Amino acid sequence: MRGDSTATECAQEIGESAASCSYHLRTLAKHGFVEHVPSEDGRERRWHARVASVDWDAGTEASEEFRAAAALARAALLELSDDTVRAYLTHERSFSKAWQEAASFLQTAISVTPAELEEIVEQMQRVLAPYRADTRDQPKRGARVVHVSVRAVPEP
């Protein structure tokens, strides 16, 4: 979904119950990921995403429980990212030629130190920041939400 949504709208989007979505939205709000926003008529409980980008390390200094939870969250984000790419590929021909040419799949092997990799990720975040969907007041004509997923992991 794009924009503010109710639990019912979210439920329809993902095929869950409104009660389940309401519970999860309240949990996300508790941790600062979404916030309640007033609706036009004051009767609907609408939610607004406060976070449009997620980045965190493995929590090497954190507890074992945190590291396990972080690993599960990263796996879930990887699955969502893969699902988004698969959905694009399934519907690729329905996009204009310009969008088909602009879509990109980049795979590059680099040789870096951990500090250099952290700097590269910070630079990429700075490059993407002005284009984040949650920070643009008025998207340019013809703009679409585009999912950018970067995976930077060392070879085992």
Side-chain angles (χ1 to χ4, degrees), residues 23 98 119:
Y23 167 80
E119 177 58 28

Side-chain angles (χ1 to χ4, degrees), residues 8 13 31 37 55 59 77 116 119 145 155:
T8 300
E13 182 76 15
H31 297 287
V37 293
D55 174 31
L77 287 174
E116 290 171 327
E119 177 58 28
V145 172
E155 290 182 352

Side-chain angles (χ1 to χ4, degrees), residues 72-84 86 149 151:
L72 288 172
R74 287 193 310 274
L77 287 174
L78 179 62
E79 187 175 326
L80 285 171
S81 175
D82 287 349
D83 288 348
T84 300
R86 281 188 204 93
S149 177
R151 301 163 187 173

Side-chain angles (χ1 to χ4, degrees), residues 19-155:
S20 173
C21 286
S22 181
Y23 167 80
H24 289 295
L25 286 164
R26 287 191 310 273
T27 301
L28 289 168
K30 186 168 104 175
H31 297 287
F33 289 96
V34 299
E35 63 188 349
H36 177 255
V37 293
S39 64
E40 290 180 17
D41 64 7
R43 294 181 302 192
E44 290 182 317
R45 187 167 179 92
R46 300 197 73 74
W47 297 91
H48 175 78
R50 295 185 66 212
V51 176
S53 179
V54 178
D55 174 31
W56 70 87
D57 62 29
T60 56
E61 303 297 320
S63 70
E64 187 61 37
E65 291 168 330
F66 177 87
R67 291 194 336 242
L72 288 172
R74 287 193 310 274
L77 287 174
L78 179 62
E79 187 175 326
L80 285 171
S81 175
D82 287 349
D83 288 348
T84 300
V85 172
R86 281 188 204 93
Y88 168 76
L89 292 173
T90 298
H91 302 285
E92 185 173 30
R93 291 186 178 257
S94 69
F95 288 87
S96 69
K97 183 178 179 183
W99 278 112
Q100 290 180 43
E101 290 174 358
S104 179
F105 297 86
L106 173 65
Q107 179 70 36
T108 303
I110 58 177
S111 177
V112 296
T113 66
E116 290 171 327
L117 182 56
E118 287 178 358
E119 177 58 28
I120 290 167
V121 171
E122 289 172 9
Q123 288 178 26
M124 290 188 311
Q125 288 174 330
R126 283 193 293 274
V127 167
L128 295 172
Y131 304 98
R132 284 192 13 210
D134 65 326
T135 61
R136 292 191 99 173
D137 291 333
Q138 289 293 325
K140 291 188 177 186
R141 184 182 176 110
R144 295 181 71 128
V145 172
V146 173
H147 290 263
V148 177
S149 177
V150 177
R151 301 163 187 173
V153 296
E155 290 182 352

